[in-house]
Amino acid sequence: MAAQIPKVKLNNGVEVPIIGDGSYAPPKPEDQARVKDWILTALKNGYRHIDTAFDYGTEKAVGEAIKASGIPREEIFVTTKLPWNHLGRVRESFETSLANLGTGYIDLYLMHWPQAIVYEEGNSAPKNPDGTYKTTDSVTFNDAWSEMEKLLDTGKVRAIGVSNFSIKNLEKLFKTAKVIPAMNQVELHPYLAQNGLREYCAKKGIVLTAYTPSGYSVVRSDPLIVSLAEKYKVTPTQVIFAWHLSRGTVIVPKSENNERQKENIAVPALSEEDIDKIWALDRGQRICNKANEKTGQVYGWTLEQLGWEDYHPKL
């Protein structure tokens, strides 16, 4: 089963399975307690790419599942992320993530967000009295990236990249970067096709990974997606994932369900005509990380700061 999932080559030659399983879980103990089991199920179902993050609180569970699977470590691709409040403590945060995972090394280490949130012990999301997130200018993503580049020399990480970076912030990053990010993980689905960013990253040799790849029920219930699912006798999710794979986009859907995990890697081949129809659904709509209606911010930064104020439709 694992061999059926194609791989994408990163700009440093490292290969990543194009479909992974996400490991986000709410911070409640009962939710966190389920993570090991569903990741273990995913590995048994043929997944060889697991996406986690320091902020998810699931790194230990992912590591435990990998050990319990009996699958050789080198056959599994593990991604984790530097949290937004650790931009000024990269090495320490990385070593903590590595210890949590217990995997010996990390395949891909991403900067989770470009904005730096104030570091407060025991509080990963400190807020101001008005409810906005406490950001800081004392450290920038350029500073953090410089420290991430040094991690490559340790032999403990195979590739580094970013997440939630726009063209605008990638341009800022390139003013100081010595290493081009291997990957940029962003929200991406038929309602938010990210065409301008996709073309830009392709030119720079940066692989795009989609989180929220199905677009949740908002996109899955779109009449076109539903009709195509009926036509190909598959689920709406499988139709959307076929569109992603047609573009060479890595996807990291989260599924705790055994049968859905199997469906997510059984991706049908769609006709070019039908793929083009899905392209036409693009409307620049963020579903997962929308701006706060009161503050206009996304976790402490405005859309302008994030470089999310516009989008580029397919020409």
Side-chain angles (χ1 to χ4, degrees):
M1 180 69 75
Q4 295 178 3
I5 300 178
K7 292 183 178 181
V8 173
K9 186 173 288 188
L10 302 178
N11 58 23
N12 65 350
V14 171
E15 291 187 324
V16 52
I18 199 167
I19 304 175
D21 196 52
S23 66
Y24 172 78
K28 297 178 182 177
E30 60 269 28
D31 292 313
Q32 292 278 322
R34 296 199 306 269
V35 178
K36 177 184 175 181
D37 289 340
W38 100 59
I39 295 298
L40 186 56
T41 299
L43 292 169
K44 289 179 178 177
N45 282 331
Y47 288 80
R48 294 295 181 268
H49 174 189
I50 306 298
D51 181 87
T52 184
F54 184 101
D55 266 348
Y56 298 170
T58 60
E59 290 172 326
K60 287 184 178 180
V62 166
E64 290 169 0
I66 290 172
K67 287 180 182 176
S69 73
I71 298 167
R73 166 66 184 94
E74 62 271 16
E75 293 183 15
I76 301 173
F77 191 97
V78 180
T79 299
T80 193
K81 309 176 190 77
L82 174 75
W84 53 21
N85 60 332
H86 287 189
L87 267 61
R89 46 198 295 129
V90 173
R91 179 61 67 92
E92 180 181 346
S93 188
F94 174 82
E95 293 292 351
T96 301
S97 287
L98 184 56
N100 286 340
L101 287 161
T103 50
Y105 62 92
I106 291 168
D107 294 279
L108 178 64
Y109 194 52
L110 303 179
M111 191 186 311
H112 209 154
W113 287 88
Q115 65 268 44
I117 301 295
V118 171
Y119 177 77
E120 290 184 5
E121 189 72 38
N123 183 7
S124 63
K127 295 181 179 179
N128 297 303
D130 63 0
T132 58
Y133 284 74
K134 284 186 180 179
T135 58
T136 176
D137 295 327
S138 64
V139 62
T140 67
F141 57 72
N142 296 79
D143 300 325
W145 185 252
S146 178
E147 292 302 308
M148 287 177 65
E149 290 176 332
K150 295 175 185 177
L151 295 175
L152 291 170
D153 297 328
T154 67
K156 297 177 182 179
V157 62
R158 300 174 69 206
I160 56 174
V162 295
S163 181
N164 295 301
F165 269 63
S166 61
I167 296 173
K168 177 179 181 177
N169 285 326
L170 285 169
E171 284 287 312
K172 289 182 180 179
L173 184 67
F174 291 148
K175 290 180 180 179
T176 58
K178 297 176 182 176
V179 176
I180 300 295
M183 181 178 285
N184 185 14
Q185 186 177 130
V186 298
E187 180 178 347
L188 202 163
H189 43 72
Y191 280 13
L192 184 68
Q194 299 269 29
N195 295 296
L197 181 63
R198 175 175 173 261
E199 291 169 11
Y200 178 87
C201 286
K203 290 176 182 176
K204 296 290 185 180
I206 303 170
V207 170
L208 272 187
T209 291
Y211 68 76
T212 319
S214 74
Y216 301 148
S217 61
V218 176
V219 180
R220 291 196 298 264
S221 62
D222 184 275
L224 172 65
I225 300 298
V226 172
S227 67
L228 290 176
E230 292 171 352
K231 175 181 176 179
Y232 288 94
K233 296 180 172 56
V234 294
T235 67
T237 297
Q238 286 172 304
V239 168
I240 295 168
F241 289 178
W243 171 77
H244 279 294
L245 267 57
S246 76
R247 330 162 85 218
T249 303
V250 177
I251 57 174
V252 285
K254 171 204 165 183
S255 179
E256 300 182 32
N257 180 275
N258 180 47
E259 292 307 312
R260 281 200 296 273
Q261 286 180 357
K262 292 177 181 178
E263 286 177 356
N264 288 350
I265 56 176
V267 179
L270 307 184
S271 70
E272 286 297 323
E273 180 183 2
D274 288 335
I275 287 172
D276 285 344
K277 290 178 182 177
I278 297 174
W279 274 104
L281 295 178
D282 182 25
R283 59 197 67 180
Q285 181 180 345
R286 295 184 186 276
I287 297 170
C288 180
N289 286 309
K290 297 181 289 187
N292 182 287
E293 292 183 2
K294 293 182 179 180
T295 66
Q297 296 181 349
V298 179
Y299 306 125
W301 268 17
T302 63
L303 295 180
E304 182 180 5
Q305 287 173 298
L306 286 164
W308 289 4
E309 68 269 33
D310 65 348
Y311 90 105
H312 305 267
K314 183 176 173 66
L315 300 176

